[in-house]
């Protein structure tokens, strides 16, 4: 609730705000809080949907700024499209299935650098500068992230069984 309220307090230049909400959170009605504050809501759909990345890129390209209370893939996609991303509001705590994963992820030197580069003292400083562009180049070269095999396993374990009926069984 507090985060939705904070978004409405962004400067006029950053209005109107649109919230991109995870598809499962929409099914659970968690998007309603944004609507209560007059914030439009969109979703990129399910991660395993073949059109996910196209939808994500199309949605991102519509905006002048991107923000979040955590680092997500949209930060990197936006920066790659020269759209500034900035961290805003209280950091969101995630509860992953593997409790050590979040600690390893947050503690990774690259992620510490990402948080530092995307945290601005003032909203009028939000930009895609040299440091932010370097994040993209370094991200593409990073070889210590989770393996594709483990990533597929994690996604599969947390995807609804209905996805099997949509031809997603090859990711099992």
């Amino acid at each position: 609730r507090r985060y939705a309220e904070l978004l409405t307090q962004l400067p006029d230049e950053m209005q109107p705000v649109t919230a991109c909400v995870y598809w499962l959170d929409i099914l659970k009605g968690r998007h309603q809080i944004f609507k209560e504050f007059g914030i439009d809501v969109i979703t990129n759909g399910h991660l395993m949907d073949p059109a996910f990345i196209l939808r994500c890129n199309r949605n991102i390209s519509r905006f002048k700024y991107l923000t979040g209370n955590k680092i997500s893939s949209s930060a990197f996609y936006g920066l790659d499209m020269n759209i500034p991303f900035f961290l805003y509001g209280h950091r969101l705590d995630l509860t992953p299935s593997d409790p050590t994963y979040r600690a390893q992820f947050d503690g990774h030197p690259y992620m510490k650098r990402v948080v530092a580069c995307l945290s601005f003292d003032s909203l009028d400083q939000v930009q895609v500068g040299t440091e932010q562009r370097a994040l993209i180049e370094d991200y593409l070269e990073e070889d210590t992230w989770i393996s594709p095999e483990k990533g597929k396993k994690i996604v599969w374990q947390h995807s609804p069984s209905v996805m099997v009926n949509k031809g997603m069984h090859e990711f099992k």
Side-chain angles (χ1 to χ4, degrees):
R1 182 166 194 81
R2 176 75 180 125
Y3 188 63
E5 184 178 357
L6 275 174
L7 291 174
T8 65
Q9 297 170 9
L10 284 167
D12 289 344
E13 178 187 349
M14 296 178 173
Q15 298 292 340
V17 172
T18 299
C20 185
V21 178
Y22 186 56
W23 70 274
L24 191 55
D25 288 334
I26 288 178
L27 292 180
K28 292 179 179 182
R30 295 179 181 157
H31 66 295
Q32 292 299 333
I33 193 97
F34 294 106
K35 290 186 162 280
E36 289 174 23
F37 282 89
I39 297 172
D40 288 336
V41 175
I42 59 173
T43 187
N44 293 325
H46 193 280
L47 178 65
M48 301 301 286
D49 181 335
F52 173 83
I53 196 69
L54 294 173
R55 193 177 305 112
C56 182
N57 283 336
R58 184 183 66 229
N59 283 336
I60 288 171
S61 70
R62 295 173 37 209
F63 300 100
K64 185 175 177 181
Y65 297 95
L66 300 172
T67 189
N69 56 353
K70 67 179 180 72
I71 301 296
S72 66
S73 56
S74 64
F76 298 101
Y77 296 139
L79 290 172
D80 194 44
M81 290 186 247
N82 211 35
I83 300 170
F85 179 95
F86 61 99
L87 287 168
Y88 184 69
H90 179 66
R91 177 89 190 259
L92 179 67
D93 293 322
L94 301 176
T95 308
S97 60
D98 178 357
T100 61
Y101 174 73
R102 191 77 223 172
Q104 291 172 353
F105 184 76
D106 287 342
H108 192 284
Y110 176 76
M111 288 311 299
K112 287 182 178 181
R113 187 171 140 233
V114 168
V115 169
C117 282
L118 300 178
S119 300
F120 296 88
D121 294 330
S122 171
L123 292 178
D124 59 352
Q125 296 174 341
V126 174
Q127 64 174 330
V128 179
T130 306
E131 290 180 49
Q132 290 77 22
R133 294 293 312 158
L135 290 176
I136 298 301
E137 294 169 21
D138 293 346
Y139 180 79
L140 294 174
E141 295 175 6
E142 181 60 56
D143 62 357
T144 60
W145 298 117
I146 192 169
S147 71
E149 293 76 27
K150 186 171 182 180
K152 286 180 184 178
K153 184 177 179 183
I154 289 170
V155 169
W156 180 256
Q157 288 172 338
H158 300 284
S159 297
S161 58
V162 72
M163 293 305 290
V164 173
N165 298 325
K166 293 192 175 193
M168 303 308 293
H169 58 277
E170 68 269 18
F171 290 99
K172 189 172 183 179

